Amino acid sequence: MNVNGEPRGTIGPGDYFGEIALLAGSDRTATVTARTDMVCYGLTPWDFKPLVESNSAIAWKLLTAMAQKLR
């Protein structure tokens, strides 16, 4: 994953990306480039919000991830 052209780590099976743009209603903040074949699923903002609102496990994972990114 790159932010402003700088490498920022890797993601793997079960990880996610693009949540900041969905939460903030903004443009994306990173670029993800696959090193291998992969399957990705996408959510629109109108599907994402009700999913998070109705699933506390997903909401908690997002909150903890956001806290880590703000450190």
Side-chain angles (χ1 to χ4, degrees):
M1 183 174 343
N2 291 320
V3 177
N4 296 324
E6 297 293 322
R8 285 284 179 97
T10 59
I11 57 177
D15 288 335
Y16 55 88
F17 56 93
E19 75 283 0
I20 294 173
L22 287 170
L23 288 167
S26 63
D27 292 339
R28 62 186 176 80
T29 59
T31 298
V32 177
T33 304
R35 293 183 184 164
T36 64
D37 289 344
M38 57 188 282
V39 175
C40 291
Y41 298 96
L43 284 173
T44 60
W46 54 88
D47 288 326
F48 178 72
K49 184 177 179 182
L51 174 68
V52 173
E53 289 176 335
S54 66
N55 190 315
S56 61
I58 291 173
W60 186 252
K61 187 171 182 178
L62 284 169
L63 281 170
T64 56
M66 292 294 107
Q68 297 249 343
K69 289 179 182 187
L70 289 173
R71 288 174 141 196

